[in-house]
Amino acid sequence: MLPKIFAAAVLAHGLGAAVASPIAGRADASSDTAFTHNVTYSAAVDVNPAFPIHESCNVTLQRQLTRALDETVTLAAHAKEHILRWGGESPLCKSWAGHWRGSNATQETVICDLSFAKRRWLDATCGLRYTVVGSPLNTFWATDLLHRLLHVPQISEGAVEHFAEDYAEVLELAKTDPAKSALDSDAIQYFAIDVYAYDIAAPGQGCTGEVEEA
Ligand SMILES: *[C@@H]1O[C@H](CO)[C@@H](O)[C@H](O)[C@H]1NC(C)=O
Ligand SMILES: *[C@@H]1O[C@H](CO)[C@@H](O)[C@H](O)[C@H]1NC(C)=O
Ligand SMILES: *[C@@H]1O[C@H](CO)[C@@H](O)[C@H](O)[C@H]1NC(C)=O
């Protein structure tokens, strides 16, 4: 079983799967030649998401969610590669005591309309004044969806929990209780976006930001 992604607003509006396209009738064979890519004017979505997306999401939402899920996989995969490549040698691993769990998934998560207005794409990491320390974890689709997926029991196997509340607490936890830190939902997200920023978004530099002294 894999997760279904719901668009809360679509469900709330009670639209369900009733998204038959009113312009489907206009599509005809001759129109195919007018585009460099195929346009079918159908409500059937031609996207290949990494995870199944619920049919209550319309095409517009499905395209964005597909990209968001792809970015989540990119983010998680890079964090894993960073650990495998550098292990304990990585300065980031040293402060994060990183650890990664499997990629299995089950159950469902609800995504509200507001997400579609606010979440940024991973390419914006280190842009728009973003810092790992100073900005919310859910700034990006990838961190937000990673967070959601970590709460899906068959991914986390019930092991990933909330132990720390913010960046400073997450760092403290990594120092004082590394075993717990490796299973902390926020620590995993901070680690993932921090190494993505350092390795990819702003190579060799990152955008961690300043940790306020307690
Ligand atoms: C898709 O659903 C969203 C959220 O309900 C809505 O804002 C948008 O207008 C819909 N798009 C289409 C093409 O129906
Ligand atoms: C578009 O689809 C039609 C019918 O499925 C196919 O014959 C045609 O080659 C496709 N065109 C492109 C550009 O993919
Ligand atoms: C996912 O979980 C199912 C059921 O527990 C298991 O059969 C499958 O091998 C798992 N897949 C991965 C990639 O871990």
Side-chain angles (χ1 to χ4, degrees):
M1 286 294 288
L2 290 161
K4 293 174 189 167
I5 308 293
F6 283 89
V10 175
L11 293 179
H13 296 159
L15 291 177
V19 288
S21 170
I23 54 173
R26 268 198 250 146
D28 59 48
S30 64
S31 69
D32 278 349
T33 57
F35 296 97
T36 55
H37 54 283
N38 251 326
V39 177
T40 54
Y41 301 119
S42 155
V45 186
D46 184 24
V47 290
N48 292 297
F51 300 84
I53 296 172
H54 197 260
E55 65 267 16
S56 60
C57 294
N58 65 31
V59 179
T60 311
L61 301 181
Q62 289 204 29
R63 281 192 199 291
Q64 293 169 81
L65 284 176
T66 299
R67 182 174 165 195
L69 286 163
D70 286 348
E71 291 198 345
T72 308
V73 172
T74 300
L75 181 72
H78 181 74
K80 181 178 167 183
E81 278 170 26
H82 183 97
I83 294 167
L84 293 177
R85 166 67 180 81
W86 297 104
E89 296 302 301
S90 159
L92 289 163
C93 286
K94 282 195 178 98
S95 51
W96 284 120
H99 169 82
W100 209 255
R101 302 199 68 84
S103 64
N104 222 333
T106 179
Q107 298 186 8
E108 299 168 355
T109 185
V110 177
I111 295 169
C112 302
D113 260 5
L114 190 60
S115 292
F116 288 90
K118 286 187 71 172
R119 301 285 174 264
R120 297 180 191 170
W121 301 111
L122 212 43
D123 282 345
T125 305
C126 297
L128 301 170
R129 310 179 81 143
Y130 174 83
T131 65
V132 177
V133 175
S135 306
L137 269 176
N138 66 6
T139 300
F140 302 101
W141 272 115
T143 41
D144 182 36
L145 294 190
L146 181 59
H147 183 198
R148 293 161 183 275
L149 292 174
L150 287 171
H151 283 294
V152 170
Q154 282 192 18
I155 286 189
S156 66
E157 291 159 11
V160 176
E161 305 276 357
H162 272 295
F163 296 114
E165 286 303 321
D166 59 17
Y167 188 93
E169 274 186 45
V170 163
L171 274 192
E172 184 62 23
L173 189 67
K175 283 186 206 132
T176 57
D177 196 344
K180 251 188 197 167
S181 171
L183 299 175
D184 181 71
S185 163
D186 283 4
I188 291 169
Q189 295 167 72
Y190 274 128
F191 173 76
I193 196 67
D194 213 11
V195 295
Y196 187 89
Y198 190 87
D199 292 341
I200 294 169
Q205 190 182 341
C207 49
T208 302
E210 298 294 323
V211 189
E212 276 180 37
E213 295 297 328

